[in-house]
Amino acid sequence: MIQIDHVSKSFDQRTGGNFMALDDVSLNIKEGEFVSLLGPSGCGKSTILNLVAGLEPYAQGSIKVNGKSITAPGPDRVVVFQEHALFPWLTVLENVAFGLKQKGIGKKERIEMAMEQMKLVHLSKFADRYPHELSGGMKQRAAIARALAMDPQILLMDEPFAALDEQTRLILHKELEEIWMRTRKTILFITHNIREAVILSDRVLVMSTRPGKIKKEFTVQAARPRDSADTLLHHVEHAIMETLADELEKVVKEEMGDEYSIKKNDFSGTASDSLGGGI
């Protein structure tokens, strides 16, 4: 469904010149697949998502969805950002139905469609609430319901749970997995959290530090719904940690110089930590 072929992306710097965010990135994502991009800060994960969404131009390579080149945003791709971006003056129901209203769908039909998606994320009892009356997790559920209401082929999720506490994050992992198993939407998911990526994904693509490249691919073959105690998941987490140790050392050296380094055997953060959290 998504084909990224030899894409490179540079950004102009205010001080002059430019820096390369992505260097010759290629990857394919099948229809109905859940794929996560994982890597150190600044490796270009969100840049890839923005390119697929049509929010950023690219000069080299090609990006296609269902064989069509991406040149702009489209209704087949909807982004769920880290911040929920709900309109504070609208109720939850009005927020979820907003895109349907913009498409010209009649009031009765769009309310029915919005309520259907709100039931999917267990928010139907909060339809008349305003965003300030919701918890952080409930706001993200509303944002996911709004995206699903548009019935896109592809969900692009840019660290949607990063700002949430651990308990809420675990709950939303389960709910997102249930939604994916029910809808089989194609999902491209950006995260810093190794355990999150492994629990949710069919494949985890680990990226190198800037300029970003796909360093290694991990297939997660554990049964669904996933069980966090599954030894297979722990095995994949450990393998990813080993792959990322060198990349995190590069980030630290770039920031602090060669006198500061991480030895692989001393890289002791847990897989549930965000990358670099123990540095």
Side-chain angles (χ1 to χ4, degrees), residues 79-86 92 95-96 117-118 120-123 130-148 155-165 168-169 171-173 175-176 179 189-190 196:
V79 182
V80 178
F81 295 102
Q82 181 176 337
E83 296 296 328
H84 54 80
L86 300 176
V92 173
N95 267 286
V96 174
Q117 300 306 323
M118 288 172 63
L120 199 61
V121 298
H122 312 297
L123 276 181
Y130 287 88
H132 73 272
E133 299 177 289
L134 304 179
S135 68
M138 293 168 74
K139 290 174 184 176
Q140 281 302 81
R141 290 183 196 179
I144 292 171
R146 180 176 58 186
L148 291 172
L155 278 179
L156 303 169
M157 308 188 79
D158 193 1
E159 297 190 64
F161 308 140
L164 304 177
D165 62 83
T168 303
R169 183 195 292 248
I171 292 170
L172 289 182
H173 287 171
E175 293 195 352
L176 179 59
I179 290 169
F189 192 91
I190 308 300
E196 180 172 77

Side-chain angles (χ1 to χ4, degrees), residues 98-149:
F98 182 81
L100 300 174
K101 183 178 181 180
Q102 299 302 110
K103 291 175 66 175
I105 296 175
K107 183 176 181 179
K108 182 179 179 181
E109 185 179 358
R110 69 173 180 262
I111 288 176
E112 290 176 353
M113 294 171 68
M115 286 299 297
E116 181 180 350
Q117 300 306 323
M118 288 172 63
K119 288 178 182 177
L120 199 61
V121 298
H122 312 297
L123 276 181
S124 56
K125 293 182 180 179
F126 300 89
D128 294 329
R129 301 283 184 91
Y130 287 88
H132 73 272
E133 299 177 289
L134 304 179
S135 68
M138 293 168 74
K139 290 174 184 176
Q140 281 302 81
R141 290 183 196 179
I144 292 171
R146 180 176 58 186
L148 291 172

Side-chain angles (χ1 to χ4, degrees), residues 4 17 25 66 73 103 111 133 152 165 198 201:
I4 300 175
V25 172
N66 289 325
K103 291 175 66 175
I111 288 176
E133 299 177 289
D165 62 83
V198 172
S201 308

Side-chain angles (χ1 to χ4, degrees), residues 24-35:
D24 195 29
V25 172
S26 295
L27 67 97
N28 292 323
I29 299 175
K30 298 176 183 178
E31 182 176 1
E33 197 173 20
F34 196 129
V35 174

